[in-house]
Amino acid sequence: MHESQLTTSAAKPSRLGWFDDVLLLGIMAVLAGCGLIYEYLLSHYAGRILGALEAAIYTMIGLMIVSMGLGAFAARKIKDAFTGFVVLELTVALCGSLAILITAAVIGFGQQLPMIIASTLGLPPDQLPEGGMIGTLQKLSEYLPYVWGVLLGLMIGMEIPLIARVRQSLSDEHLLHNAGTIYGADYIGAGIGAAIWVGFMLAIDIQLAAALTASFNLLAGFVFIWRFWPKIQRPKLLLVGHLVVTGVLLLLAIRGPSWEQQFNNLLYKDKVVYAKATRFQQLTFTERLRGNGLLPVYALYINGRLQFSSSDEHIYHAFLVHPTLAASARHNKVLIIGGGDGLGLKQVLRWEPEQVTLLDLDAALVQLFKSPDSDMPARLSQALLSLNGNAFNDPRVTLIHDDAFNGVDKLIAKGDKYDAIIVDLPDPSHPDLNKLYSDYFYRKLKELMSSDGALTVQSTSPYHAQKAFISVAKTLALAGFDVKQYHHNVPSFGEWGWSIATLNGKDAQHRLAQLTELPIVDDWLTLGLVKGAFEFPANFYQDATNIKPNELGSLQLYHYHQQAWSETQGLDLF
């Protein structure tokens, strides 16, 4: 009887232990989070380079999902799941941590190549070798993030099949719901990864985020080596490899952000003197020294796009602010939406209002222009406070940091009314921004504006994005405003335009036409320039009937804007 029991016990198949099962599912969840973060990291960086964040995100996610599917098929070629998984995580960690840095280096070198060739051949500055093969190489280098996306996608796609095979190999019994269990861990991990991206990694340097993410891939490899040492081929060699890559990751975490920034600095014509990543965007300040006693020219770039240049920002903000307030019956209470640099606010304060409310999403951006960081160069911090006249520290100014779409609801709930409203938001290059140019949003603003007040919206370039420009006016009209549009040349941007809207009485153009002089004296703006700004070419509005307003949810303006600027900048690969 005893011998029979021993025989039965010996024949009993082994089962997957709870510790190994929890360990494998935990690893799968962590790696799923890493995979999602890699998607966001690469698409975020690609968006900065291409200037089309939304298209970059969709393209990157699409490419990586397809690549993951191909990787799942390719995993069948790996004979040893234990060894293959360890090698895979080592490779993912190395590629994931270096992708951003290598991309920045290649693109930066591509931008500098014409100057290197010109310097070598002794060519004058106005004869830089551009276009042709050099131009093609520069353009192709900008799509390097997508190459990394495909490579990482292929490797990430191998993880689930390999984990499934490892789980099954640890049990003599067939594991029911093996795939479903692993996919469950994968989905949960991806959700956690998304939360980590939004809650933490958006606010840190992108290269540091890449190194931190890669460290979890490396940790998964270490855990596998520790737990399944007898089942792994050449475990000592792989352990040494993991230790070497650990050193690489530490170096990238410490020095990588500064290296990446130095490579990114090569993308700008002028010297980069300060850069900061906020929770919402990447801020880059450049400086151009002019000599001969002239003040340096400072410029702010957000996610690689020029926001202002100190050489001509006064032109833009004079046309944004002064026609609005001149067309308003009063200017005691003014609302500014956007304008986190305080440059428009400075112009508003010249009208001696009783109260100005500024609503901007990015508190860190506003803080830089209110009380610059201690690590910012002193000359830059002094220049920023001089540019905006230290406007944020004026006691008449109330700052609200909130999403504009929701922030105006809170103002409406309080029963606030404003004599003038100035909307100085970025162009509608993203669906989240598009809703701030919608008829629904403008109807909200109508509730906040006094009946004899005026509202002005920056409306992108009437030259480069004509349909988008006209669509802004048609959207305001759909919301119940009487709308006129005007334009002027801002050297840093080219021809730029604004839409000015009123509710009752004469339209803004007629109100301004009745003036004999501007109520304030400006170094650039004159009454003649204001009146002339409302003139457009004879055929400018001839197709206006075919241009649609931007109703909430339609993304109409976003598509007009993307189409126009993609054609202008040659971003037509996707």
Side-chain angles (χ1 to χ4, degrees):
M1 183 70 175
H2 181 67
E3 183 178 353
S4 174
Q5 288 178 338
L6 288 175
T7 303
T8 303
S9 177
K12 186 177 181 180
S14 63
R15 294 184 177 182
L16 176 63
W18 69 268
F19 180 80
D20 287 337
D21 198 21
V22 171
L23 184 68
L24 291 172
L25 293 178
I27 288 174
M28 191 66 255
V30 169
L31 296 183
C34 292
L36 195 73
I37 291 173
Y38 284 132
E39 289 182 12
Y40 290 156
L41 282 171
L42 291 170
S43 59
H44 194 65
Y45 190 76
R48 289 187 195 174
I49 297 169
L50 300 176
L53 182 60
E54 188 70 14
I57 291 174
Y58 292 152
T59 303
M60 183 64 70
I61 291 177
L63 284 174
M64 289 193 71
I65 288 176
V66 172
S67 300
M68 287 163 63
L70 295 175
F73 285 115
R76 294 182 294 184
K77 299 294 183 180
I78 299 176
K79 296 180 180 180
D80 183 349
F82 290 91
T83 305
F85 183 84
V86 174
V87 173
L88 180 67
E89 293 312 305
L90 182 65
T91 309
V92 171
L94 196 59
C95 291
S97 62
L98 289 172
I100 299 296
L101 191 62
I102 292 176
T103 300
V106 171
I107 294 175
F109 175 76
Q111 295 296 319
Q112 292 295 308
L113 185 58
M115 286 176 277
I116 294 173
I117 295 175
S119 176
T120 303
L121 300 179
L123 299 176
D126 60 345
Q127 294 184 16
L128 292 179
E130 297 176 334
M133 182 178 294
I134 292 177
T136 301
L137 290 174
Q138 289 176 333
K139 181 58 64 177
L140 290 176
S141 69
E142 294 178 356
Y143 294 91
L144 188 55
Y146 297 120
V147 176
W148 287 112
V150 170
L151 291 175
L152 284 170
L154 285 170
M155 291 186 285
I156 292 169
M158 297 180 185
E159 291 172 341
I160 289 179
L162 291 179
I163 289 288
R165 285 167 55 186
V166 168
R167 285 187 82 235
Q168 183 60 67
S169 68
L170 294 175
S171 174
D172 292 335
E173 294 181 336
H174 175 68
L175 294 178
L176 294 175
H177 312 299
N178 188 14
T181 302
I182 293 174
Y183 276 115
D186 181 81
Y187 296 149
I188 293 172
I192 295 173
I196 292 173
W197 169 259
V198 173
F200 172 64
M201 289 196 169
L202 268 175
I204 66 174
D205 182 88
I206 195 168
Q207 177 57 45
L208 177 59
L212 289 175
T213 305
S215 67
F216 284 94
N217 291 103
L218 199 64
L219 179 61
F222 271 121
V223 170
F224 247 71
I225 293 173
W226 161 72
R227 183 60 181 170
F228 305 116
W229 181 281
K231 298 179 179 294
I232 296 173
Q233 299 177 26
R234 298 183 179 179
K236 293 182 180 179
L237 179 62
L238 289 174
L239 180 60
V240 171
H242 276 65
L243 292 173
V244 170
V245 175
T246 298
V248 172
L249 292 186
L250 287 173
L251 183 62
L252 290 175
I254 297 170
R255 300 297 302 276
S258 63
W259 291 341
E260 182 234 342
Q261 188 58 56
Q262 290 172 19
F263 289 133
N264 287 339
N265 292 351
L266 299 176
L267 301 176
Y268 299 94
K269 180 179 179 181
D270 298 329
K271 180 183 178 182
V272 174
V273 290
Y274 188 73
K276 179 183 179 70
T278 74
R279 178 180 173 82
F280 303 102
Q281 50 206 353
Q282 175 70 32
L283 311 177
T284 303
F285 294 88
T286 65
E287 177 188 60
R288 182 169 74 250
L289 301 177
R290 296 189 290 178
N292 297 323
L294 297 173
L295 293 175
V297 174
Y298 292 100
L300 168 63
Y301 293 82
I302 295 182
N303 292 340
R305 288 187 170 187
L306 179 65
Q307 296 303 300
F308 74 77
S309 170
S310 62
S311 63
D312 55 21
E313 62 79 18
H314 62 284
I315 301 175
Y316 171 88
H317 290 101
F319 272 92
L320 172 71
V321 171
H322 300 317
T324 315
L325 296 181
S328 303
R330 294 171 306 281
H331 26 79
N332 296 326
K333 290 186 65 177
V334 180
L335 172 64
I336 302 174
I337 299 176
D341 49 32
L343 300 175
L345 175 61
K346 172 186 176 180
Q347 299 296 334
V348 169
L349 291 175
R350 294 180 60 193
W351 289 76
E352 297 297 332
E354 295 176 1
Q355 178 187 347
V356 182
T357 300
L358 188 141
L359 172 61
D360 193 280
L361 176 64
D362 197 341
L365 168 64
V366 173
Q367 187 62 30
L368 277 182
F369 285 87
K370 180 180 181 181
S371 179
D373 292 348
S374 58
D375 61 339
M376 178 182 284
R379 64 185 186 279
L380 175 60
S381 61
Q382 292 169 4
L384 297 184
L385 293 177
S386 175
L387 280 172
N388 68 16
N390 201 19
F392 284 124
N393 292 302
D394 192 296
R396 294 169 292 175
V397 176
T398 300
L399 297 175
I400 301 175
H401 300 300
D402 200 349
D403 174 75
F405 201 78
N406 299 320
V408 296
D409 287 335
K410 298 174 184 177
L411 297 176
I412 293 171
K414 290 168 56 180
D416 286 356
K417 286 286 184 180
Y418 296 92
D419 301 314
I421 300 176
I422 296 167
V423 184
D424 188 18
L425 293 168
D427 280 3
S429 58
H430 188 282
D432 284 345
L433 287 168
N434 181 81
K435 68 182 181 182
L436 300 179
Y437 287 82
S438 67
D439 61 325
Y440 187 74
F441 183 68
Y442 292 149
R443 287 190 176 96
K444 292 183 180 184
L445 297 186
K446 187 167 68 171
E447 294 187 46
L448 288 172
M449 195 173 83
S450 300
S451 60
D452 53 1
L455 160 73
T456 294
V457 178
Q458 89 79 10
S459 305
T460 195
S461 171
Y463 180 79
H464 294 292
Q466 183 178 359
K467 289 183 178 179
F469 177 75
I470 295 174
S471 179
V472 173
K474 297 193 74 170
T475 307
L476 283 163
L478 182 63
F481 288 98
D482 192 350
V483 189
K484 294 294 180 180
Q485 293 188 290
Y486 60 102
H487 64 107
H488 191 74
N489 183 267
V490 181
S492 293
F493 297 107
E495 198 68 19
W496 211 257
W498 301 264
S499 302
I500 187 167
T502 55
L503 287 174
N504 297 317
K506 295 181 178 180
D507 62 52
Q509 184 177 3
H510 281 90
R511 295 182 189 183
L512 294 170
Q514 293 177 338
L515 297 177
T516 57
E517 62 179 5
L518 284 176
I520 54 96
V521 177
D522 189 78
D523 292 338
W524 182 271
L525 193 65
T526 66
L527 185 59
L529 284 177
V530 171
K531 293 179 179 180
F534 287 89
E535 293 295 326
F536 286 86
N539 62 350
F540 185 80
Y541 289 101
Q542 67 179 7
D543 294 327
T545 55
N546 298 320
I547 297 174
K548 299 178 181 179
N550 186 42
E551 297 182 73
L552 183 66
S554 70
L555 296 181
Q556 187 64 63
L557 183 62
Y558 165 73
H559 292 308
Y560 282 145
H561 183 272
Q562 288 296 95
Q563 179 184 7
W565 286 103
S566 294
E567 292 172 355
T568 299
Q569 299 174 2
L571 304 178
D572 55 357
L573 293 185
F574 297 98

